Amino acid sequence: MSDYRDHIPIVISDFNGLWDRGDRDNTPLDHFSDGENFKFKGSNSISTRDGIGISQDVVLPLTNVKRIYNYPTNTANTLIALVVTAAGDGKIYHIVNLTTVYLILTITGMTDFAFAHYAGRGYISPFKTFDVGGLNVEKGLQNEFLYVYAGDGTAARKAAGSPMSGAMTIANGAAGHTDAGLHIFAFVSESISGYLSAPGQNKSFTTLPLSSVSFGTVQASGSSLIAKRHLVATKVITNFNGDLNGYPFYFVPGATIANNTDAFLNDISFYDQDLLEDASHLTDNYSEIPAGAALSLYHERLCLSTTYNNISLILVSSPGEPEAISQIDGLIDVIPDGNPITNHAELRDIFYVTKRSKTVAYADNDDVPSSWLPNSVDNSLGTSVHGIATVLDSGSSNVDYLFVATYQGISLFNGRYITPELSWKIDNIWGNLFRNDFRLIQMVNAPIQKELYCVMTDRRLLVGNYTNGMDPRKICWTVYRFDQGVNTIAIHNIDEIILGSDIG
Amino acid sequence: MGTFKFKPFAVFTRDNGSENWGQQAVAYPASDAQCVAGANNTNGAAELYHGNTTAASTGKLVFLGRWYLDGSSTPLDINSLPNGFIVNSATFTIKGGNQWIARPGDHYYVTFANRVEEEIPHAASSTYTVIISPVPSSLAVDALLVLRLDKTAVDGNQGFYNLIIDGTYSLWSFTYAIDTPTVNTIGPSNKVRLTSTYPAANALNLNGIVTNGIDNNGNYNALSDTGIAGIGLTWINLAGVTKYYFIPIRYIGIDAVKAGFDPITPVLLEFEIPPALALLIWQDPTIPGWPNVLVTPYIYGDGTQFSGWVALTPLTLTLVDASGVYKLVKDKTNDTLYNQIAPISTSNVKIPNPFIKTGFIGG
């Protein structure tokens, strides 16, 4: 008789993806001990993964693509990508659609970049990996800066800017009014991206009570990106000490040259009580913002960290003015411990800052950033430079949680790291990733597909399907392998998964 | 392939002629690199071998020495030489000043131990003689060097000074060939499989291998072993500069499932052409034949059994630059890839083999 007599068949009706933790023999019957290139269909079926197609229909498609981010401009959902040439130049392209690509920035030595978008503009910070005693450290390029891109195909420009220089002439104008006495006058330039420079062309002048003031030979900025120049002035100074930069400046209402060409501004009348909008803080701003390895937005502020010279410093802009970062009180000094800041993101009104194995929280107290106090969240878990998943086009968190790639696995973070980690089922796969290469990990969350995509250090794509629930035991894992390998990922137009491949 | 140096520390003479100088000579080197041979004394001043013009006066010099492999300063005795040690080429340099005069009619023979003597071509010189191999390939094994001087070799009261013998060697047991692919054109991420070609009894002993698990192909991934340090890949660019990429042993699959670490079974090594290699080559577009690059693999010993290297048949590495921006396309049944090397094109390829393994035994 057959050995199979009385054999009770085992029916497997569910396929719940990979299980790679502990002993291989303990793999549950509804899981796979190994597998690649299968996807989940519905709640319990599998099939071969979807194929990939090209994403550019141009004569010269981008090659050796190192990094891709999604970039929502004011008019479209687009991509921004870094390629590195054979000569070692990092080139950043704005991919508008299948056929339109703009080269917007070239920086020698750039192997990666941080990106944030705000009001349609893109903010770009070039960085690379440094070997510090065998440990890979990502920080901003030396002698490089934050750049801002208008989103229209024009070249990105260095963010912020220097005050205008040169000498202007001041004379009494037509009949008008001022508070008589000595004032210091200056001009503030405004770039096309709205950045206001520090006051320049400072000059003192004693006004008369019944006369307006007129300005001549007002210098134009050397930059073609300056759109306007605003007049600023001090209130009457009674005992002038000769320091043209040492008094508070205020914007003079209505006193703007609406171009960068006119050399005059005539017949300006104002009283000191009209000087309400303070311009003094502009003097403290960075005129050029050093490049860092991480960029994010928090409460309408642009946050940049891990510069070449300080791996523990976060530069935080004024609200709504991403390029206005005070060198005095726009800084957060995360307690130095030898480890660089790797990432930061906003969740539920809190600003979370990570190192590779630490997480710290800050809260906006409506005062300057340097007054924000740190709160230690976790002293063992953190993440890498691309280790926080982006969702759709937001560039950071999901509604109520973050996906964070920690050394223990992919974790859900809602103010604390939830255990067991989401990648609990595939602990061995995650454990085999080379920690020093965690910078290569990049994740996106596609809630439409209910899938989490994670580029791993070995250039494969880890996919977690949470159709059955966002739970470590219910999520289904698979791995996609591609002939060319993938090293970067973005999500585009709600649910289109974009993959980037370099040469090696 | 490795390099060796044979450093004699003693020499014996024996003649089959009629004259009475067939005595044991005692010779001591002034340094490791020298051998001074003289008859009945230690300074080489007296005659070692008095040749004459008669055909009957032939003799043999037997050098006893030590082997130094691959630049090592530690000598190996005869019994410690690796299995299958074979001399590929050797250079005999005798710098005897004016005391050593080679004659056009001289014949020099060399053998190792009791193997067949074979003649070495040489050049005549009034002041010194340099004998350059290649030594015939049949020479093999053992460490005694016998130099037979036929007819007139040394004239008058003269002797050998400063004998240096060095050359290259290889191991039969460390001879590998490319097993797959059967065609020699490959691309990045393609796998290359190597197999030992000499009779299995001489295969490299891999008993000491420590593994960290089995990869998707059922191969062990070695963390360390007692035989192989890794595989080097070299190529030459247009400027004539040799470029080099090294794959450590931990990234090389060893077919231990079949071999079971049994040294009797031929050892199979498998490695993947690393994308990083393609990147290096891509960054150096001055390579002849671009985008095809002739790459020579070398297997390097780790010094425990062998610290030299074995060169394999060159492979033609064809660069396929499939980098670019892609998108996942729902229900698409193949992958479409760029080929970014001019003329730029795209190609449809199959999705790399989907597979699953269940937890069942054999699953």
Side-chain angles (χ1 to χ4, degrees):
Chain A
M1 292 298 289
S2 165
D3 290 341
Y4 296 109
R5 183 175 182 178
D6 298 329
H7 173 74
I8 301 173
I10 298 173
V11 177
I12 301 177
S13 57
D14 294 327
F15 298 103
N16 290 317
L18 294 173
W19 179 287
D20 191 359
R21 63 174 287 114
D23 193 332
R24 200 184 183 100
D25 292 341
N26 293 334
T27 306
L29 294 179
D30 59 346
H31 285 73
F32 308 128
S33 61
D34 198 1
E36 275 184 358
N37 282 341
F38 62 90
K39 70 172 184 178
F40 301 96
K41 299 183 72 172
S43 59
N44 55 13
S45 300
I46 60 169
S47 67
T48 300
R49 72 157 166 83
D50 293 329
I52 55 172
I54 61 173
S55 185
Q56 283 191 283
D57 186 14
V58 293
V59 175
L60 293 173
L62 300 185
T63 182
N64 200 27
V65 178
K66 291 292 182 183
R67 186 64 55 204
I68 302 177
Y69 294 99
N70 67 303
Y71 171 33
T73 66
N74 284 334
T75 56
N77 205 325
T78 65
L79 297 170
I80 195 157
L82 166 68
V83 307
V84 175
T85 68
D89 291 333
K91 292 179 178 288
I92 292 182
Y93 290 87
H94 181 199
I95 305 171
V96 178
N97 53 41
L98 201 63
T99 57
T100 307
V101 179
Y102 298 116
L103 171 62
I104 60 170
L105 183 63
T106 300
I107 296 175
T108 300
M110 170 170 51
T111 58
D112 206 341
F113 75 109
F115 181 75
H117 56 86
Y118 179 77
R121 292 186 292 275
Y123 294 87
I124 297 165
S125 178
F127 72 88
K128 72 173 191 177
T129 301
F130 296 84
D131 185 338
V132 180
L135 178 69
N136 285 333
V137 169
E138 286 71 46
K139 57 182 183 177
L141 283 179
Q142 189 175 22
N143 299 322
E144 269 300 341
F145 307 96
L146 176 72
Y147 290 81
V148 57
Y149 171 55
D152 57 2
T154 57
R157 65 169 183 84
K158 193 190 297 185
S162 300
M164 292 181 295
S165 59
M168 62 179 175
T169 60
I170 307 176
N172 290 315
H177 59 269
T178 62
D179 285 319
L182 187 139
H183 298 259
I184 302 173
F185 294 93
F187 275 90
V188 167
S189 63
E190 179 179 339
S191 72
I192 57 174
S193 58
Y195 172 73
L196 299 171
S197 73
Q201 307 180 66
N202 299 22
K203 187 168 186 173
S204 62
F205 181 74
T206 301
T207 60
L208 300 177
L210 299 177
S211 176
S212 64
V213 191
S214 292
F215 303 86
T217 64
V218 177
Q219 303 297 304
S221 167
S223 170
S224 61
L225 302 170
I226 296 303
K228 299 176 183 175
R229 288 162 292 166
H230 304 282
L231 179 67
V232 294
T234 65
K235 295 178 179 177
V236 171
I237 301 171
T238 52
N239 294 302
F240 182 48
N241 62 10
D243 182 1
L244 292 172
N245 297 307
Y247 294 86
F249 283 97
Y250 301 87
F251 286 95
V252 179
T256 295
I257 302 175
N259 55 52
N260 190 32
T261 54
D262 291 347
F264 58 89
L265 182 64
N266 291 331
D267 303 330
I268 300 300
S269 292
F270 67 97
Y271 292 116
D272 282 0
Q273 67 181 12
D274 298 329
L275 301 179
L276 300 174
E277 189 179 356
D278 186 13
S280 301
H281 67 282
L282 300 177
T283 306
D284 300 330
N285 288 346
Y286 283 94
S287 59
E288 44 189 24
I289 301 166
L295 276 178
S296 65
L297 290 165
Y298 172 57
H299 280 194
E300 305 279 305
R301 299 173 184 264
L302 184 72
C303 306
L304 177 149
S305 71
T306 333
T307 63
Y308 181 82
N309 291 319
N310 195 332
I311 59 174
S312 300
L313 193 67
I314 307 176
L315 284 58
V316 183
S317 77
S318 300
E321 298 183 64
E323 298 174 65
I325 299 177
S326 170
Q327 301 177 74
I328 306 298
D329 52 24
L331 308 176
I332 300 174
D333 193 10
V334 181
I335 298 172
D337 59 2
N339 289 309
I341 296 169
T342 54
N343 218 321
H344 23 86
E346 177 180 354
L347 178 68
R348 293 182 189 164
D349 228 24
I350 301 295
F351 183 52
Y352 291 99
V353 179
T354 66
K355 297 187 173 186
R356 61 183 181 137
S357 56
K358 180 179 285 187
T359 303
V360 182
Y362 292 86
D364 188 345
N365 57 6
D366 293 329
D367 199 349
V368 293
S370 59
S371 70
W372 301 351
L373 297 177
N375 287 289
S376 180
V377 175
D378 197 304
N379 281 329
S380 61
L381 296 177
T383 190
S384 51
V385 284
H386 304 291
I388 298 178
T390 58
V391 57
L392 300 185
D393 59 7
S394 73
S396 65
S397 71
N398 204 328
V399 178
D400 207 27
Y401 48 81
L402 299 172
F403 290 103
V404 183
T406 72
Y407 285 155
Q408 75 166 5
I410 297 175
S411 296
L412 273 176
F413 181 83
N414 62 2
R416 72 177 184 89
Y417 292 97
I418 298 173
T419 54
E421 64 278 8
L422 204 57
S423 58
W424 178 82
K425 283 183 183 177
I426 50 166
D427 195 42
N428 291 345
I429 291 177
W430 197 260
N432 285 334
L433 300 180
F434 190 40
R435 285 184 183 174
N436 219 12
D437 284 342
F438 259 48
R439 71 186 184 283
L440 303 175
I441 291 175
Q442 189 176 15
M443 296 194 296
V444 298
N445 177 21
I448 306 303
Q449 294 97 321
K450 288 188 168 52
E451 288 191 322
L452 173 69
Y453 297 87
C454 173
V455 173
M456 295 194 289
T457 59
D458 60 4
R459 301 166 62 82
R460 294 185 300 165
L461 191 65
L462 179 65
V463 181
N465 183 296
Y466 51 86
T467 301
N468 296 332
M470 182 77 77
D471 179 280
R473 290 175 176 78
K474 291 179 180 175
I475 190 169
C476 301
W477 294 100
T478 178
V479 170
Y480 292 176
R481 176 187 290 277
F482 304 89
D483 280 343
Q484 82 286 12
V486 295
N487 53 279
T488 183
I489 189 168
I491 189 167
H492 185 229
N493 286 331
I494 305 297
D495 60 356
E496 189 173 77
I497 303 301
I498 300 293
L499 302 169
S501 298
D502 62 10
I503 290 177
Chain B
M1 185 82 75
T3 59
F4 74 89
K5 189 179 289 292
F6 180 78
K7 298 178 179 179
F9 62 85
V11 61
F12 300 86
T13 66
R14 188 181 65 187
D15 81 293
N16 57 2
S18 59
E19 299 189 26
N20 187 27
W21 31 254
Q23 303 174 38
Q24 177 175 322
V26 179
Y28 296 95
S31 71
D32 279 348
Q34 294 178 325
C35 175
V36 180
N40 299 319
N41 61 47
T42 60
N43 61 14
E47 68 181 20
L48 163 68
Y49 184 93
H50 188 141
N52 60 28
T53 56
T54 64
S57 294
T58 60
K60 183 179 288 184
L61 297 180
V62 180
F63 292 95
L64 191 58
R66 295 189 178 99
W67 294 91
Y68 296 79
L69 303 186
D70 306 307
S72 170
S73 60
T74 304
L76 288 175
D77 63 31
I78 296 171
N79 294 327
S80 297
L81 285 173
N83 265 349
F85 179 85
I86 178 171
V87 174
N88 290 331
S89 67
T91 300
F92 297 79
T93 306
I94 304 170
K95 295 181 178 177
N98 58 9
Q99 297 186 38
W100 174 259
I101 302 173
R103 302 294 176 80
D106 290 348
H107 295 275
Y108 300 105
Y109 300 87
V110 66
T111 187
F112 290 86
N114 57 356
R115 301 272 173 170
V116 177
E117 292 180 343
E118 298 193 34
E119 185 166 3
I120 304 168
H122 70 282
S125 168
S126 61
T127 58
Y128 62 89
T129 297
V130 177
I131 305 171
I132 302 173
S133 50
V135 176
S137 61
S138 62
L139 295 177
V141 194
D142 295 344
L144 291 178
L145 172 69
V146 176
L147 189 62
R148 177 178 287 276
L149 305 180
D150 197 29
K151 296 182 182 178
T152 57
V154 180
D155 190 15
N157 297 328
Q158 298 170 356
F160 281 157
Y161 294 87
N162 301 337
L163 174 63
I164 301 170
I165 306 168
D166 54 21
T168 62
Y169 72 97
S170 62
L171 298 177
W172 282 339
S173 62
F174 214 68
T175 302
Y176 277 82
I178 294 169
D179 180 64
T180 52
T182 53
V183 294
N184 70 344
T185 299
I186 54 177
S189 300
N190 285 167
K191 285 189 170 61
V192 179
R193 193 174 177 84
L194 310 175
T195 182
S196 57
T197 56
Y198 197 71
N202 283 324
L204 199 65
N205 187 333
L206 297 177
N207 277 330
I209 288 178
V210 177
T211 64
N212 67 347
I214 300 175
D215 67 19
N216 292 329
N217 301 310
N219 293 330
Y220 281 91
N221 296 314
L223 283 179
S224 66
D225 76 285
T226 57
I228 300 166
I231 294 175
L233 301 167
T234 68
W235 67 98
I236 299 174
N237 71 7
L238 266 186
V241 177
T242 299
K243 302 286 187 171
Y244 178 82
Y245 188 90
F246 185 74
I247 306 171
I249 184 65
R250 65 177 179 273
Y251 297 119
I252 297 170
I254 298 175
D255 198 339
V257 174
K258 289 180 181 176
F261 297 135
D262 182 350
I264 294 175
T265 307
V267 176
L268 296 171
L269 304 176
E270 186 174 82
F271 66 96
E272 192 173 276
I273 297 294
L277 169 68
L279 178 64
L280 283 176
I281 295 175
W282 177 75
Q283 289 172 333
D284 187 7
T286 60
I287 292 174
W290 174 271
N292 296 321
V293 184
L294 203 61
V295 174
T296 303
Y298 290 82
I299 297 180
Y300 285 82
D302 68 358
T304 51
Q305 297 180 64
F306 173 60
S307 56
W309 65 91
V310 173
L312 302 175
T313 306
L315 295 159
T316 300
L317 176 65
T318 300
L319 288 179
V320 179
D321 177 2
S323 65
V325 184
Y326 296 94
K327 58 185 175 185
L328 276 175
V329 181
K330 186 171 174 55
D331 296 330
K332 192 170 188 285
T333 56
N334 65 289
D335 287 346
T336 302
L337 304 181
Y338 299 101
N339 182 0
Q340 300 273 22
I341 294 175
I344 295 171
S345 60
T346 60
S347 58
N348 291 325
V349 300
K350 74 182 179 76
I351 293 172
N353 293 342
F355 73 94
I356 55 170
K357 290 182 180 178
T358 68
F360 288 110
I361 295 174

